[in-house]
Amino acid sequence: MNTSQACFIATTLSMSVFSANAKINLTDDISLSGFGSTSITKSNNATALYVNREITDETCYDCDTTFGLQGDIRFTNNFNASVQVVKRPQDEWSSPVLEWAYLGYNVSDLNLKVGRLRLPLFLSSEYYYVGQAYTSARPPQEVYNSILGITSYDGISGTWDIEVNDESYLTITPYVGIESNSEVNIGALLYDFNVEKTIGLHTELSGFDYRIMFNYAHFKYAVDVTTPLGTQQYPADNINIYTIGAEYSFDQLVLTSEVLIDTMHFNWYTSLAYNMDKFTPYVTYAESHHSQKNNSLLVGVRYDLTTTVSLNAEWKYTDANNGSNGELISNPADGDTDAQLYSLMVNFIF
């Protein structure tokens, strides 16, 4: 295996790729790191694609714009803190969000965290907004956008690291969240979610060339929906979300697949990426079922300018089945429910 292949596999399979390779050491115990993405993108459908991005047939220069800063402090060998602030695609520059802010404590093989934490629903959850850390321009939207961009919770988690053998490790992470609020704009509608309870279990088995992930999450929530005509309150409800993901490397070829299942969704994707030194072409096929019926095909190529800067060029065709909106955020006025999406993305870390 040559050096570029090894680097590609390590980047693809490591959950700590961002914090390990992109940071500025201010002191021996304090570090600062950052990341960002921006794009030129356009579809051939006048109806907006993607919640929190709203890409239309007009060329957009800021639909994907993301910028984040992360600070890490080590108080002792066992006690640490981390803060991450992110200007997400849906945010104004003047109003970024606190994505996580927690205190961590390590004792033996147990890592405890308390504060605002990242929801560990997916393979790429830990670095969801760090475009440099995954191959495609965006994580597959059929799966990653199915929870409307809610990516964090306030609460506590504990992670046990278990050495299965010399080449495999198992991590088990139960987590509990307290009451929190999130707002999501979908076209002219504003959804105000009050999450009253979060309980979950995340497990991951990993080795040098593979990762297998399973997550279960239970939420009790209420939602208020504001329209131009007023606000409607809905009573508290419960939802259980199951996610399964796997990633495997065959030398230069990496196969990734994830599935999300709940009462409203059965969504999945499969992706193949092939590394050729600085170039990585990839293809992704995805489907959505139940509340949104959709299938899509994405073809793209990533070019690594340096170890900290990359470019993506992508074409995606998405088609809604049975007349549903699919990935369109509202009913198209002309009834056109398919779209071709073109994206040129730049990602960086420092």
Side-chain angles (χ1 to χ4, degrees):
M1 179 179 294
N2 62 39
T3 302
S4 64
Q5 294 170 5
C7 289
F8 175 67
I9 293 169
T11 298
T12 305
L13 300 179
S14 172
M15 290 295 287
S16 59
V17 60
F18 169 57
S19 59
N21 295 319
K23 64 180 181 179
I24 301 168
N25 293 316
L26 303 178
T27 71
D28 290 341
D29 300 312
I30 302 175
S31 64
L32 177 68
S33 50
F35 54 89
S37 302
T38 193
S39 72
I40 302 172
T41 189
K42 181 179 181 179
S43 94
N44 66 344
N45 196 311
T47 305
L49 278 165
Y50 302 153
V51 173
N52 299 323
R53 283 179 168 83
E54 300 191 8
I55 302 167
T56 68
D57 57 356
E58 296 184 6
T59 302
C60 184
Y61 298 93
D62 62 354
C63 289
D64 291 292
T65 301
T66 303
F67 183 77
L69 290 173
Q70 180 176 321
D72 295 282
I73 303 175
R74 183 180 64 183
F75 300 108
T76 69
N77 288 334
N78 303 101
F79 186 36
N80 67 287
S82 182
V83 176
Q84 188 183 96
V85 178
V86 181
K87 183 272 174 202
R88 304 168 300 174
Q90 66 266 39
D91 299 325
E92 299 292 336
W93 283 99
S94 59
S95 55
V97 297
L98 186 65
E99 262 298 297
W100 74 47
Y102 64 80
L103 295 174
Y105 187 77
N106 299 309
V107 53
S108 186
D109 295 324
L110 174 64
N111 175 237
L112 295 171
K113 293 180 181 179
V114 60
R116 175 159 294 181
L117 306 171
R118 181 65 56 77
L119 272 172
L121 295 181
F122 309 115
L123 286 170
S124 300
S125 287
E126 191 70 14
Y127 43 90
Y128 180 80
Y129 290 109
V130 187
Q132 178 72 3
Y134 41 81
T135 304
S136 57
R138 311 171 190 88
Q141 296 295 290
E142 288 86 351
V143 171
Y144 281 74
N145 212 20
S146 57
I147 57 170
L148 304 180
I150 298 173
T151 56
S152 62
Y153 70 99
D154 298 329
I156 186 170
S157 73
T159 299
W160 281 268
D161 294 313
I162 303 168
E163 184 177 357
V164 179
N165 53 47
D166 291 341
E167 297 181 352
S168 300
Y169 289 85
L170 175 66
T171 62
I172 301 174
T173 306
Y175 55 94
V176 177
I178 60 174
E179 186 173 358
S180 61
N181 292 282
S182 297
E183 290 186 349
V184 179
N185 283 288
I186 304 179
L189 306 179
L190 173 64
Y191 291 78
D192 186 0
F193 290 95
N194 177 28
V195 182
E196 300 177 14
K197 180 174 64 176
T198 301
I199 301 174
L201 177 67
H202 177 89
T203 63
E204 183 169 315
L205 179 67
S206 60
F208 176 73
D209 55 2
Y210 72 91
R211 292 168 57 199
I212 302 172
M213 178 276 298
F214 169 78
N215 186 85
Y216 162 75
H218 169 81
F219 302 93
K220 181 179 180 181
Y221 69 96
V223 61
D224 297 341
V225 181
T226 301
T227 73
L229 300 178
T231 299
Q232 183 173 356
Q233 297 179 331
Y234 291 86
D237 199 356
N238 296 281
I239 189 170
N240 297 305
I241 298 177
Y242 303 86
T243 52
I244 302 170
E247 194 167 67
Y248 194 84
S249 168
F250 307 85
D251 294 324
Q252 294 168 276
L253 184 68
V254 175
L255 171 66
T256 308
S257 188
E258 291 188 81
V259 180
L260 179 142
I261 303 171
D262 60 36
T263 55
M264 296 181 291
H265 304 93
F266 177 73
N267 299 357
W268 63 272
Y269 77 87
T270 296
S271 180
L272 281 171
Y274 189 82
N275 177 243
M276 300 179 292
D277 196 20
K278 292 181 177 293
F279 288 93
T280 305
Y282 52 89
V283 59
T284 300
Y285 179 77
E287 290 188 359
S288 304
H289 299 274
H290 299 336
S291 63
Q292 287 185 317
K293 298 177 176 64
N294 192 87
N295 58 65
S296 69
L297 176 66
L298 180 147
V299 178
V301 62
R302 167 176 165 146
Y303 177 71
D304 290 291
L305 288 145
T306 69
T307 56
T308 60
V309 181
S310 64
L311 293 173
N312 286 80
E314 285 186 358
W315 169 82
K316 180 177 183 178
Y317 174 75
T318 181
D319 181 31
N321 297 309
N322 300 325
S324 67
N325 293 343
E327 294 187 292
L328 303 175
I329 68 172
S330 62
N331 290 316
D334 58 3
D336 185 8
T337 57
D338 66 344
Q340 297 189 54
L341 176 65
Y342 305 89
S343 303
L344 182 63
M345 180 92 70
V346 59
N347 302 296
F348 61 89
I349 55 176
F350 62 88

